[in-house]
Amino acid sequence: MTSAFAGRFDDFSHWRAALGERLDELSACLVDIGLDDRPAGALLAALRERVDGDKLIVAFVAEFSRGKSELINAIFFADAGTRVLPATPGRTTMCPVELAWDASEPEGLSLLPIATRLDDVSLAQWRQRRDGWTHLPFDKSQPEALSVALRQVMSTRRVTIDEAQALGLWHASNPDNSPLADEAGRVEVPVWRHALINHPHPLLRQGLVVLDTPGLNALGAEPELTLGLLPSAHATVFIVGADTGVTQSDLAIWRDHLGARQGLAFVVLNKIDALRDPLATPAQVDAQIEAQRRSTAHILGVPPERVFALSARQALVARIDGDAKGLAQSRLIEFEAALSVSLLPQRRQLLGRLTEDAAGQIQKRAARHIGEALRQQAEQLLELRGLRGQSSGRLNLLVQRVSGEAMEFEQCHTRLTALRAVHARQGDQARSELAYDDLELEIDRMLAEIRSSLLKLGARKAFAALCERLRERLLRVQVQLHDTQDMLGGTFGVLNAEYGFGLALKTGPNMTRFVEEISLIERLYSQYLGLGDVLRLARPRFTAQLRRMLVERISVVWDGSRNAIEGWNREVTSHIDTQLIERRRGFQKRAESLTRIRGAADQLESRIGEIEQQDRQLRQQLEQLGAITRSLLRSASGAVDVELPLGDVDVRRARA
Ligand SMILES: Nc1nc2c(ncn2[C@@H]2O[C@H](COP(=O)(O)OP(=O)(O)O)[C@@H](O)[C@H]2O)c(=O)[nH]1
Ligand SMILES: [Mg+2]
């Protein structure tokens, strides 16, 4: 019995595969036109990679023993016929577990030892390397290989309090949030820091990434989980137990890590089977479940529609046994439907929109390229047709005229050189605003401000000031981009008028998106800089980690904006170069045909015939390009076959 989510995900993947086929057609068409190695080709390749590599990250977060692992098993892995992730009473999942599929890596489980926390290397950096991880391949001959290997995520070991403290897993200031010491004064810590499961499950193959997290203190102690992994998730699922209700520690996790989060957050009230009571009627039990669902929503401050009462265990067992009635009773289906209905259309729309934008640009470029070729051919045809019945003296004159025009054209170089120099200088200015060294200096300045502020009360203020400075840098870059654009626009006009170029300026990149990303980071991180965090902020380890995470996160924004600017600059340059080459080639072709015709009069008609043939071919290509783009756009914006729920999805009109 596959899950509703799996079914929907299949639809999504089919749609994506169909989109991929259309993109292949467009790519073949670009090869025909001879544009595959130009920016249009690069744009298409980037889009293709995005469509193929699109990931959907769903993170499960809660206090331990609420049933996260069990719920993941029931939704995603029931077809394995067994409990894949270990889910037993007590604390089982000791480290974050990420399930995904990467075909370029071997199937198996990769584990990063907890001792790596002692060095200053972030998880993101560890992901880039293979050494340091312990790789456990799955034994395919053993049907339970997966679940056997996964027991590793439960491993713990006992260490002294000093060691635990060095690992950042024990806090003298906060013993409640630290593991209990035994008589010998030793505490239990996880053996592993992070687990990556590379498994070709159909859903993971299609780009789903599932993140299972351990409970309380590991969450608080691992800034890279809370600052790195959770904010990048497309949806989070927070779980509370119907047997315990919302506890203080549930509330603490919700408040610290999820409550203020943007994007899709779901709440599950799990273990409703525990509420079944032989002395109560089914209607009474239902009423009690409903009352608890509403009170959970009230306590967490979310709309009741976002809270799903269910039993993960009952669902898993029912799916394994093929028991439809049990599955219905577990109420898992309603939750899966909500998950898929809000997540998948949103991804689909995002990809569809990217495709629409890119396809539009590619089509425009290709059409412009063909249009330019047609224009040059039309000029040539006109010239050649006018030669019918002309004397050889007249032909000589024409050859001279063409070479004269070609020479005149070459004078455009002076202007182009000046243009390039100004353009390059402006590019350097943008690069220096967004220099990585400056970024580190800015962050260090903020940390120094925090250190010197009384009782760290000014932490939030210092952080807000940092974000403001970063936004100002982006805004200065934006102003500069406008200047560059004005300068280019003016010079293009002159080149078009004086030298017959057909230069068109593409609008420069918009920094608004990056300014917003800085604001998002500000919202996400300032919750870790509140009054309650004064003690944490006093710890050099925490500030070192905070610094690293900030450098990493903001570098991504910096990379994005720099790439956007560089990409645009490259495009402008290559657009000019292409036109230069094509204009030059045009003169050459004209001179060649004239020379040929001067040698033998009968060459004239065959040359005219050749060009007419090329002309027809170009028009066909243009038509074919149009047809392929239209079918791609239809595919991209193809009517989404489900109701669009939950507000925050931006619905775009389907374009014909
Ligand atoms: N009765 C009942 N027990 C459940 C349910 N879901 C999970 N459990 C049990 O609760 C315990 C903790 O589950 P687990 O998935 O390991 O929790 P996690 O720490 O949040 O990952 C395990 O013994 C599960 O079998 C449920 O729906 N009903
Ligand atoms: Mg677990």
Side-chain angles (χ1 to χ4, degrees), residues 62-71 83 86-93 212-213 215 239 270-274 310-314:
E63 182 54 294
F64 68 87
S65 241
R66 298 296 183 258
K68 293 179 291 296
S69 304
E70 195 79 326
L71 187 56
R83 180 176 275 140
T88 46
R91 247 193 107 177
T92 28
T93 316
D212 189 9
T213 57
I239 308 171
N270 189 28
K271 309 195 186 182
I272 55 167
D273 54 310
L310 55 86
S311 165
R313 181 191 279 174
Q314 195 179 9

Side-chain angles (χ1 to χ4, degrees), residues 272-294:
I272 55 167
D273 54 310
L275 299 182
R276 279 199 194 104
D277 176 356
L279 298 181
T281 65
Q284 283 170 329
V285 173
D286 284 352
Q288 208 208 329
I289 293 175
E290 183 54 19
Q292 215 185 338
R293 194 176 73 87
R294 292 197 166 265

Side-chain angles (χ1 to χ4, degrees), residues 275-350:
L275 299 182
R276 279 199 194 104
D277 176 356
L279 298 181
T281 65
Q284 283 170 329
V285 173
D286 284 352
Q288 208 208 329
I289 293 175
E290 183 54 19
Q292 215 185 338
R293 194 176 73 87
R294 292 197 166 265
S295 90
T296 304
H298 178 71
I299 295 171
L300 299 179
V302 296
E305 313 83 79
R306 284 284 178 108
V307 183
F308 296 84
L310 55 86
S311 165
R313 181 191 279 174
Q314 195 179 9
L316 177 64
V317 173
R319 277 220 166 111
I320 291 176
D321 294 348
D323 165 14
K325 195 164 155 250
L327 185 62
Q329 252 184 12
S330 78
R331 303 199 195 174
L332 181 67
I333 305 286
E334 289 88 335
F335 173 58
E336 284 176 343
L339 196 62
S340 53
V341 145
S342 29
L343 263 177
L344 298 176
Q346 203 186 36
R347 292 313 289 161
R348 191 163 150 164
Q349 270 169 350
L350 179 73

